[in-house]
Each structure stands twice: as C-alpha cells, then as structure tokens.
Amino acid sequence: MGVGRSVWESGLRLISYLEEEHLESLQGAKVLELGTGTGIVGISVASMGADVLVTDREEKLLDLVEKNVASNQESIETGGGKVSTKIMDWANRSTTSQVALTCGPFDYIIASDILYSSSSHVHLVETLWQCTSIDTKVLIAYPSRDLEWEVRGKDGDPVPPDKRCHHKFMGYTEERFKTEVVNYYPPTEPRRGNKGYSVYIMQMLLK
C-alpha cells in the first residue's frame, strides 16, 4: 500500500486550511476526496459537518479507512457529518464516471499529496473534469518537493522547469481550469512523512 498508509504534512495542512477558511460552508456540503490514503482528511472534514465520499484505487486502503472511520464515528456524528467509501481508479473511466454520475454533483473536491507522479496527471485532470460542476471548488494541497521533483533526470542532468512534476500538472489543467495558490504554509520541523517541505494549497475552478 506504500504511501497510502502514511499521514503526510500536506493532508494535515489541508485540514487546517479547510477549518480556518471553509468551516461554515462545509456544513452539509457534499465532498469528494481523491486518493484518501488513511482517510484522515475525509474523516476530519466529516467532523466539520460535511457528507464526504472518500476514494482510492486500492480496496485494502479503503478497508483501513473504514476502520479509521469506525474509530472516529463519535466525532463524525457529533460534527453532523458522514463518510462513505468507494473504489476509484483515475485511469479507469468506468469507475470515475460512476462516481460522477451517481454521487455528484459535489460542492468540494479535495486531495493532498497526489501530484508526485506525473504519469498519473492526465488521468487525474480527466477525473477532475468529470466530477466538477460550475459550483465545485477543487482544493489540492501539495508539498514544495512537487516543485522540485524530477529536478534531475535518470542521466543526472538537470530537468527543465517545464518538465518537472508540478509544472506538468499545471500544463494539463490550463485549458479547463482556473488555478491559484490560496494559502502557503512554511516548513515545520522534519519528522516521518515530512522532511521540512513547505505546503501550498491550490484552488481550481472550471473556466
């Protein structure tokens, strides 16, 4: 399950941002989380009063999420929210279409630390396009390493900025989405899951 079992700094920062800036509008909102991992972000947002659908491509990860939901059920119910889970593979159009058609429209789509693999960007942007309506706010938290990732290629030579991970993703989004960085968190003390990277919160809206 790899990175999906870890709690990353980007997720914690996204929780803080949503609580600071969107707490009121999240109450009763329909939220889709992509690449949920442990489920900590979705569970926290449900505790703020949202109806959250958490998704990932691996059934084993969703089993872990469901255990974490059960452990936090009291907090979720107290907050007035709800969490449900669904398999969603961005590369599998049938699963993404099913979520968009049967579970949407969504007020928010949220995700954290999902830009690290540029090979997934085309499918990710297509998934966002399918699941986003004109009123949907997309919020993605990503660490500063995504600005630096792939700085050196396999042969050790520097990779031009337009070939790096974050820049590749932005290139795929520009035709369909307006994007802006809405918050920035400076680095914290290094610990497991965080090597002192700063975190950016990006908002995406349909053009």
Side-chain angles (χ1 to χ4, degrees):
M1 289 185 277
V3 296
R5 293 185 67 97
S6 300
V7 175
W8 301 96
E9 188 72 18
S10 298
L12 300 178
R13 294 302 196 181
L14 181 56
I15 293 167
S16 296
Y17 174 74
L18 290 168
E19 190 167 27
E20 293 162 3
E21 303 293 337
H22 293 269
L23 182 60
E24 191 171 321
S25 58
L26 280 169
Q27 295 172 16
K30 288 187 68 174
V31 178
L32 170 65
E33 184 185 10
L34 303 179
T36 188
T38 64
I40 186 173
V41 178
I43 290 167
S44 298
V45 172
S47 298
M48 299 177 203
D51 181 354
V52 185
L53 174 63
V54 299
T55 65
D56 215 298
R57 65 181 180 178
E58 296 184 34
E59 190 171 343
K60 287 182 179 179
L61 276 177
L62 292 184
D63 289 342
L64 171 63
V65 171
E66 288 172 359
K67 291 177 182 177
N68 291 339
V69 169
S71 298
N72 291 276
Q73 192 61 43
E74 183 176 349
S75 174
I76 293 169
E77 291 178 357
T78 299
K82 176 184 174 184
V83 179
S84 53
T85 63
K86 189 174 281 289
I87 289 284
M88 191 181 195
D89 183 347
W90 308 334
N92 184 332
R93 185 62 67 89
S94 65
T95 65
T96 57
S97 297
Q98 183 185 41
V99 169
L101 292 172
T102 64
C103 304
F106 300 101
D107 300 299
Y108 288 87
I109 298 176
I110 60 174
S112 58
D113 220 331
I114 61 169
L115 304 183
Y116 59 87
S117 175
S118 57
S119 62
S120 69
H121 289 174
V122 170
H123 298 305
L124 172 57
V125 173
E126 285 297 324
T127 297
L128 290 170
W129 173 252
Q130 280 187 305
C131 296
T132 303
S133 73
I134 196 66
D135 297 316
T136 306
K137 290 185 177 70
V138 180
L139 294 166
I140 299 176
Y142 61 93
S144 57
R145 65 165 159 74
D146 285 345
L147 300 172
E148 306 157 2
W149 212 257
E150 300 172 348
V151 167
R152 293 195 174 276
K154 292 179 181 178
D155 56 3
D157 292 332
V159 175
D162 63 342
K163 299 297 183 183
R164 297 176 194 169
C165 203
H166 175 265
H167 295 276
K168 289 179 181 178
F169 177 75
M170 297 302 289
Y172 291 127
T173 66
E174 61 186 4
E175 184 177 338
R176 296 173 173 177
F177 293 94
K178 297 175 288 184
T179 63
E180 66 172 323
V181 173
V182 292
N183 214 328
Y184 165 81
Y185 293 93
T188 57
E189 288 298 316
R191 63 177 185 270
R192 188 182 178 205
N194 168 44
K195 300 185 183 302
Y197 294 112
S198 52
V199 174
Y200 298 83
I201 309 292
M202 175 171 58
Q203 178 175 277
M204 301 171 60
L205 302 171
L206 281 179
K207 285 186 174 179

